[in-house]
Amino acid sequence: VTVSAAESFVPVPDERVGALGMTCVRVQGYGVSLVDGLLRPGDRQLLDAIGDRRALVVTTPTVARLYGAALRRVLAPAGTRVRVAVMHSGEPAKEIETVLDVCAAAQEAGIGRRDVLVAFGGGVCCDVVTLAAGLIRRGVAYLTVPTTLVGQVDAGIGLKGGVNFAGSKNYLGCFHAPEGSLVDLGLLRTLPEVELRCGLAEILKMALVRDPDLFALLGERGEELVRTRFAPDRADAEWVAARAIELMLAELEPNCYEDQTLCRLVDFGHTISPALEERSGHRIRHAQAVAIDMALSCEIATELGWLAPDACATVLHTFRRLGLPLFHPLLTADVVAAGLHGATAHRGGELNLVLPTSVGTARFLVRPEDLPASAVAAALRCLRRRAR
Amino acid sequence: VTVSAAESFVPVPDERVGALGMTCVRVQGYGVSLVDGLLRPGDRQLLDAIGDRRALVVTTPTVARLYGAALRRVLAPAGTRVRVAVMHSGEPAKEIETVLDVCAAAQEAGIGRRDVLVAFGGGVCCDVVTLAAGLIRRGVAYLTVPTTLVGQVDAGIGLKGGVNFAGSKNYLGCFHAPEGSLVDLGLLRTLPEVELRCGLAEILKMALVRDPDLFALLGERGEELVRTRFAPDRADAEWVAARAIELMLAELEPNCYEDQTLCRLVDFGHTISPALEERSGHRIRHAQAVAIDMALSCEIATELGWLAPDACATVLHTFRRLGLPLFHPLLTADVVAAGLHGATAHRGGELNLVLPTSVGTARFLVRPEDLPASAVAAALRCLRRRAR
C-alpha cells in the first residue's frame, strides 16, 4: 500500500513497522517511523521488525562502542538467529570492498532470500547496507536505523545505495527500498556537535527549497536544538525531524527510481559538493560541502537575478549562525567547474542546478550552456569575500 | 509496450532493435530479435542499436580472437564513442572482481547514466555485464549479443545478472532488464561442438516441461543441428532457436522479478546442478550439470510415480543420443543433499523441485519434507546403473 506523503503525520497502521511508530510517513510502500527507546532494555521494537527471520545487523565501530552492549541486549532473545557485524565507517569506507565485507558476513550468517539486513549506523552504513541488500540473492529485505541526524533526515531513509568508485562519487549503486526505517532521536544524545550541525545542513536544504516556516524555525531554534541534541521529549525537535522527513519523502515519492526526471529538488547543494569533497580527500564532511554548495548556489542565483540580495544575505547569515561553513579555500574555480561537469554527466547531459528563488522556493537551471562562466566566477568572488 | 509472448513470432516494429529483427519476441518491454549478419562488413545493426550514445562493448578472449577484428570493423564508424573491452571468461570469472573490472573500464570510457553497455559473449559475459550495468550509476542500459547457444536461448536473454560469491552460486546479483538482445545464429559457426550440445541441454530443459513437439524434433534432428552448427539458413535451426526463446520468455514474463512465485519451470535441472558444478570446481560445464540434474529429476519423478518409466527411458535415451551426460562420479548422495539444501535456501525455504510428469509437462515438489530420502537414493542408484 502506498500512501502519498501528503497524507502523512497520521499514525498509519503497518503490519511490520507501523505498530512501533509515533509518527509514520509512508512512501512507495515503506514507512519511516519516529520511534522512541529502541535500545531500552527489553525493548522489542527492533525484534518485532525483524520477525522470525534471520538477520544481520550491521553497525560501525563508533556505534558499536557507544551502543554495542545495549544493542546486543535487545537482540539477545533472538539468539544466534540475529547476528551483529561491525563494518568500517566514514566516507573512505563508502566503497565496494566494504559492501563485499557485509555480503561475506551475510553469507557466513546464512542470510537467504527471505531474511533481512539491518543498517544500524550513519549515512554511509545505510548506503553500504542498501547496496549489499540489493546484491544478495538479487535483493533481500533490509531495515535502516539511522544513528546520525544526517542519516535520520536524509541518507538513511531513502532507497538509494551507493559507493564511490575509481574516483567517481556514487558511480556504483542501486535503487532498493528498505522495508522500513526506524528513527530514534534518542540516539542523537551521543552525536558530536559537528555531526548535529551537518544534519541541520541537510534539513536546511529541504527547508530552503520547499518550506520557509521550517527555515525560519531553524534560524530561531536551530542552535538550541543542537545544544539539547534534539532531545526526543522536545516537541520542536520531533516536529523538525518529522517535517524534514516528510519533505524528503515527498520529493522522493513521485520519482523514486529517478526515471521520471533528473530534475530533483533534493539535489540542491549536491552539484558542486561532490567535487569539493573529493578534492579534500573527504576531510570536508559531506554535509559541510553541501552547505558550501548551497551558499555558492545562493550567490549564483543572486548573480543571475533569480534571488533577491537580501534573501541571499538572510540565508548565509543563518548558515553562519548555525555554525555551517560558507566557503573553503579548496573551493577554487576549477573545483566548481569539475563539479558542474560531473553533475552534468551524472544527470544525463543536463546540469539541473537547483537555485533558490526565495527562502522556500527554487528553480532548475537545466542546460549547462545557460550558466555563464562569468556569473559563476562573480558568485565565487562574492562568497569568498562574504565568508571572510 | 509489453507484448506477451503469446503474440510473438510476428515481426514487431520497435524503435531501437525491432527494425533489425527477422523475429522479435518481446517481454517486459524488451525485445529478443533473431538477426542475421551482425558482423558482416558495413552492417549497421549493432551501431543502430547503440544510437548516438557512448558504449562499452564487453567481450571475452575467445570471442575477441575469433571475431575481434570483424567487431571493431562494424563499430569503427562510431570512432572512440564506442569502445571494446575484453573481460576474463568462463565460470571461474563469474565473480564480483570481473564485474568491477567491467565497471572500471566503463568509468574509464566515460560511461554515464544515459550510455550503454553491450555484452558480446557467452552466458557468463552476459551475466557479468548485466550486473555491471545494474550497478553503474544505479543502472545504465545494456544490450546483449549472446555468442553461444546457451547464451542465445537462456543465459543471455533474461534479465538476471549474477556472480558466485564465497562459495555460493549466484549469491550476488540483480534483476536488470536489457534494452534488447540480438541473437545471430551465424555466430555459432565457430562454437565448439560440446558448447552446442550444452545449448541443446537448455533447450531440452524447456521442451521437457513445456513442449513435447520441440522435444521430439530435437530427438530427431538435434544431432544434425549440431553437425551443421545451427546454420542460420536452415529453417529448423531458426525454428528451434525461436521456439526455445519464446518458451523461455513466456516463463519469465509473468514473474520477471521472481516476486510472484519461486515456483519456476525454468528452474528445471537447476536444483542439484549448482552443487555438482561447485564440487567439480566448475570442470563440469553448467549445462552438463543441468543435464545430469534433469536426468536425476526424471528418475526421482519415476520413483515417486509421477513419471511413467517408459517416458523416463525415452528422455534419458534422447539425452544420451545427443551426447549429453546422464551421470558423473561426483554426483554422490551428499552432493545431491547439498544441492537440495542450497536450493531450499535460495527459494526462501521451499524446495520447488521441478519434476516431469510426461514428456512436455511438469509439476513442482514444493516442500523439502515431501521428498523421501529413500526415493532420492533409489533414483541415484538407478541413474548410476543406467548411465553405465
Side-chain angles (χ1 to χ4, degrees), chain A residues 39 84 105 120 126 192 195 287 356:
Chain A
L39 295 184
V84 176
F120 198 103
C126 292
E195 284 291 338

Side-chain angles (χ1 to χ4, degrees), chain A residues 107 113 137 168 171 258, chain B residues 107 113 137 168 171 258:
Chain A
Q107 199 269 348
R113 200 149 179 165
R137 296 291 188 203
S168 289
Y171 192 70
E258 299 177 15
Chain B
Q107 199 270 350
R113 201 149 177 164
R137 296 293 189 203
S168 289
Y171 192 71
E258 299 177 15

Side-chain angles (χ1 to χ4, degrees), chain A residues 100 104 106-107 111 113-114 134-138 160-161 165-166 168-169 171-175 258 262 346 348, chain B residues 100 104 106-107 111 113-114 134-138 160-161 165-166 168-169 171-175 258 262 346 348:
Chain A
L100 298 179
Q107 199 269 348
I111 295 295
R113 200 149 179 165
R114 301 246 164 112
L135 285 171
I136 293 169
R137 296 291 188 203
R138 302 193 175 94
K160 286 159 69 170
F165 184 76
S168 289
K169 198 161 165 65
Y171 192 70
L172 303 183
C174 67
F175 295 98
E258 299 177 15
L262 294 176
H346 190 61
Chain B
L100 298 179
Q107 199 270 350
I111 296 296
R113 201 149 177 164
R114 301 246 163 114
L135 285 171
I136 293 169
R137 296 293 189 203
R138 301 193 177 93
K160 285 159 71 168
F165 184 76
S168 289
K169 196 160 167 68
Y171 192 71
L172 303 183
C174 67
F175 295 99
E258 299 177 15
L262 295 175
H346 190 61

Side-chain angles (χ1 to χ4, degrees), chain B residues 181-327:
Chain B
S181 295
L182 305 180
V183 170
D184 183 344
L185 296 178
L187 296 170
L188 304 182
R189 204 176 309 128
T190 50
L191 196 66
E193 190 180 304
V194 62
E195 285 291 338
L196 286 163
R197 295 190 192 281
C198 283
L200 281 189
E202 295 283 2
I203 301 175
L204 285 165
K205 173 189 78 175
M206 291 313 306
L208 199 38
V209 295
R210 282 285 312 276
D211 188 339
D213 295 341
L214 179 61
F215 193 89
L217 183 84
L218 287 173
E220 281 166 36
R221 310 250 197 104
E223 195 55 37
E224 199 184 335
L225 287 172
V226 169
R227 199 173 41 74
T228 56
R229 292 194 148 57
F230 277 73
D233 54 350
R234 287 186 64 107
D236 54 358
E238 197 190 317
W239 189 86
V240 165
R243 179 69 183 144
I245 291 168
E246 184 186 40
L247 285 170
M248 181 72 184
L249 296 186
E251 284 306 309
L252 291 185
E253 227 251 325
N255 187 29
C256 265
Y257 299 96
E258 299 177 15
D259 50 358
Q260 302 303 310
T261 174
L262 295 175
C263 279
R264 295 159 16 96
L265 283 178
V266 294
D267 282 340
F268 181 46
H270 288 69
T271 298
I272 291 143
S273 57
L276 180 59
E277 278 179 79
E278 203 184 308
R279 186 65 58 98
S280 79
H282 300 290
R283 279 172 299 111
I284 302 179
R285 285 176 157 78
H286 172 70
Q288 291 174 328
V290 168
I292 293 168
D293 181 323
M294 291 192 286
L296 182 62
S297 297
C298 287
E299 295 282 10
I300 291 173
T302 306
E303 282 298 321
L304 295 178
W306 293 20
L307 180 67
D310 61 337
C312 180
T314 301
V315 171
L316 300 193
H317 176 67
T318 303
F319 277 27
R320 196 197 286 269
R321 275 185 52 204
L322 294 176
L324 294 174
L326 302 182
F327 184 74

Side-chain angles (χ1 to χ4, degrees), chain A residues 137-175:
Chain A
R137 296 291 188 203
R138 302 193 175 94
V140 295
Y142 73 105
L143 300 159
T144 62
V145 185
T147 56
T148 63
L149 186 55
V150 171
Q152 292 182 340
V153 300
D154 186 289
I157 60 171
L159 43 63
K160 286 159 69 170
V163 295
N164 307 324
F165 184 76
S168 289
K169 198 161 165 65
N170 287 322
Y171 192 70
L172 303 183
C174 67
F175 295 98

Side-chain angles (χ1 to χ4, degrees), chain A residues 174-347:
Chain A
C174 67
F175 295 98
H176 184 48
E179 203 170 72
S181 296
L182 305 180
V183 170
D184 183 345
L185 296 178
L187 295 170
L188 304 182
R189 204 176 307 128
T190 49
L191 197 67
E193 191 180 304
V194 62
E195 284 291 338
L196 286 164
R197 295 189 191 282
C198 283
L200 281 188
E202 295 282 3
I203 301 176
L204 285 165
K205 173 190 80 174
M206 291 313 305
L208 199 38
V209 295
R210 282 286 312 278
D211 189 338
D213 295 340
L214 180 61
F215 193 88
L217 183 83
L218 288 174
E220 281 166 37
R221 310 251 196 104
E223 194 56 36
E224 200 185 333
L225 287 171
V226 170
R227 200 172 42 72
T228 56
R229 291 195 149 58
F230 277 74
D233 54 348
R234 286 186 65 107
D236 55 357
E238 198 191 315
W239 189 85
V240 165
R243 178 71 182 141
I245 291 167
E246 184 186 39
L247 285 170
M248 181 71 183
L249 296 185
E251 284 305 309
L252 291 186
E253 227 253 323
N255 186 31
C256 265
Y257 299 96
E258 299 177 15
D259 51 358
Q260 302 304 309
T261 173
L262 294 176
C263 279
R264 295 160 16 97
L265 283 178
V266 295
D267 282 340
F268 181 46
H270 288 69
T271 299
I272 291 142
S273 56
L276 180 60
E277 277 179 81
E278 201 183 310
R279 188 64 60 96
S280 78
H282 300 290
R283 281 174 297 110
I284 302 178
R285 284 175 156 78
H286 173 70
Q288 291 173 329
V290 169
I292 292 168
D293 180 323
M294 291 193 284
L296 181 63
S297 297
C298 287
E299 295 281 11
I300 291 173
T302 307
E303 280 299 320
L304 295 177
W306 293 19
L307 180 66
D310 61 337
C312 180
T314 301
V315 171
L316 300 194
H317 176 69
T318 302
F319 277 27
R320 197 197 284 270
R321 275 185 54 203
L322 295 176
L324 294 173
L326 302 181
F327 184 75
H328 190 282
L330 285 175
L331 187 73
T332 57
D334 73 300
V335 166
V336 175
L340 295 171
H341 182 79
T344 304
H346 190 61
R347 294 170 193 161

